[in-house]
Amino acid sequence: MTEQVPLSVGPAIEAGDAARAELYVLLGTLLAGPPDEAILDMLLEIDAGESDATPLTAIWQALQTAARDTDPEQLAEEYFNLFIGLGRGELVPFASFYIHGFLMEKVLASLRNELQQLGFELQEGISEPEDHVAALCETMGMIISESGLSLEEQSAFFQTYIASWMGQFFAELGEAQSADFYRAVARLGQQFLEIESQYLSMQV
Amino acid sequence: MKKDKTRFTADRRMFLKGAAVAGGAAALTAVSAAGLVEPAAESDTESDSGAADKTASKGYHETQHIKDYYRILRS
């Protein structure tokens, strides 16, 4: 299916919130699987802005350089080495692993409960648990754009399921031996989480 | 801004049902976040129009929060 998604989020969401939601989903997309040509092209089309516009500007530019210097075949190999591997990848991109040291632990049970209450469901054919980094990025994006949860509630979800481990994950991704394109993704993720953390902490 | 040209197709691998819609304008995010295109006038007017919108919609309008967000982005 190659249906195009319209350029809109929820009808009642302000542009800044739409931007937050979309950036979470973009991170989710980059972490759910190796980007294909269409996603690389999309990254290259981004107007990264003036060089000193925001802390994110240089990071976007680095991501574009990384996208220009790679291709889907290289990315498939990089993604495999980082997250899948023979036996396991260099990183284990699950909240449960970072928080408890093992997969499928308590945080996953609690997350499943939250997702059920929110009415969010995994796509058919997805075999990874819901605490995969990509799933959590998508979830946060959907919480912002679709759920109508208040900022206080968003903050609670963020603190429990994202801030508690994802910063460390991005730090390790940025240092991973197999990472090249994904170093740039890691920098984007780290910086964005810092911004989110500051923003959400101001609202509670 | 190149927002009109950019589309995010729905054939990506996504984990959650509905996530493609939430990320439909991912390129816009990038533009907003990187270039800090602040949608000030339009959003302010909309938000000031009252609490009725807030309760009637499943989203929310909290302009001050968004101003905070842009301030953090600039810092």
Side-chain angles (χ1 to χ4, degrees), chain A residues 4-79:
Chain A
Q4 290 198 324
V5 176
L7 283 171
S8 67
V9 186
I13 296 195
E14 241 193 288
D17 284 319
R20 294 174 57 221
E22 292 155 10
L23 187 39
Y24 273 115
V25 176
L26 175 61
L27 278 172
T29 298
L30 296 174
L31 292 162
D36 61 12
E37 202 72 56
I39 293 173
L40 292 177
D41 285 348
M42 186 212 69
L43 292 175
L44 292 177
E45 282 191 41
I46 290 167
D47 178 355
E50 298 300 318
S51 57
D52 58 350
T54 80
L56 282 175
T57 306
I59 290 171
W60 279 117
Q61 289 168 342
L63 185 60
Q64 288 181 316
T65 302
R68 204 172 287 120
D69 291 346
T70 190
D71 59 51
E73 201 179 326
Q74 278 183 50
L75 281 172
E77 190 180 339
E78 184 179 337
Y79 188 90

Side-chain angles (χ1 to χ4, degrees), chain A residues 5-198:
Chain A
V5 176
L7 283 171
S8 67
V9 186
I13 296 195
E14 241 193 288
D17 284 319
R20 294 174 57 221
E22 292 155 10
L23 187 39
Y24 273 115
V25 176
L26 175 61
L27 278 172
T29 298
L30 296 174
L31 292 162
D36 61 12
E37 202 72 56
I39 293 173
L40 292 177
D41 285 348
M42 186 212 69
L43 292 175
L44 292 177
E45 282 191 41
I46 290 167
D47 178 355
E50 298 300 318
S51 57
D52 58 350
T54 80
L56 282 175
T57 306
I59 290 171
W60 279 117
Q61 289 168 342
L63 185 60
Q64 288 181 316
T65 302
R68 204 172 287 120
D69 291 346
T70 190
D71 59 51
E73 201 179 326
Q74 278 183 50
L75 281 172
E77 190 180 339
E78 184 179 337
Y79 188 90
F80 179 85
N81 291 332
L82 281 170
F83 304 119
I84 301 168
L86 297 170
R88 59 161 270 195
E90 199 175 336
L91 298 176
V92 182
F94 295 91
S96 183
F97 184 82
Y98 276 82
I99 293 170
H100 304 294
F102 299 97
L103 294 173
M104 318 270 279
E105 287 289 324
K106 207 166 68 177
V107 70
L108 177 61
S110 139
L111 174 64
R112 282 179 169 159
N113 192 35
E114 293 260 6
L115 293 178
Q116 193 176 17
Q117 287 180 25
L118 287 163
F120 294 171
E121 290 177 58
L122 279 183
Q123 302 265 23
E124 278 135 35
I126 294 292
S127 53
E128 293 92 336
E130 295 87 335
D131 62 339
H132 188 282
V133 62
L136 279 168
C137 287
E138 289 178 17
T139 301
M140 193 67 198
M142 286 179 67
I143 282 176
I144 295 164
S145 67
E146 308 289 319
S147 71
L149 289 193
S150 69
L151 285 167
E152 288 76 10
E153 291 165 318
Q154 289 179 30
S155 179
F157 185 92
F158 177 83
Q159 290 303 333
T160 306
Y161 299 107
I162 293 181
S164 51
W165 72 283
M166 213 180 277
Q168 190 189 340
F169 165 79
F170 280 128
E172 291 180 11
L173 180 57
E175 298 291 318
Q177 282 188 347
S178 316
D180 185 4
F181 172 82
Y182 277 94
R183 283 191 188 180
V185 175
R187 284 183 64 202
L188 176 64
Q190 257 183 317
Q191 182 68 48
F192 181 54
L193 287 194
E194 276 179 33
I195 291 168
E196 279 289 283
S197 182
Q198 283 182 52

Side-chain angles (χ1 to χ4, degrees), chain B residues 1-59:
Chain B
M1 246 197 308
K2 297 182 179 178
K3 64 182 178 185
D4 294 338
K5 281 190 183 172
T6 308
R7 294 289 184 277
F8 217 27
T9 54
D11 60 346
R12 295 167 289 162
R13 180 173 194 248
M14 310 276 317
F15 278 65
L16 293 179
K17 290 179 183 172
V21 176
L28 282 182
T29 301
V31 171
S32 304
L36 193 58
V37 181
E38 188 167 357
E42 194 182 333
S43 310
D44 285 357
T45 309
E46 220 172 287
S47 291
D48 291 346
S49 67
D53 283 352
K54 215 174 195 176
T55 49
S57 64
K58 65 177 182 174

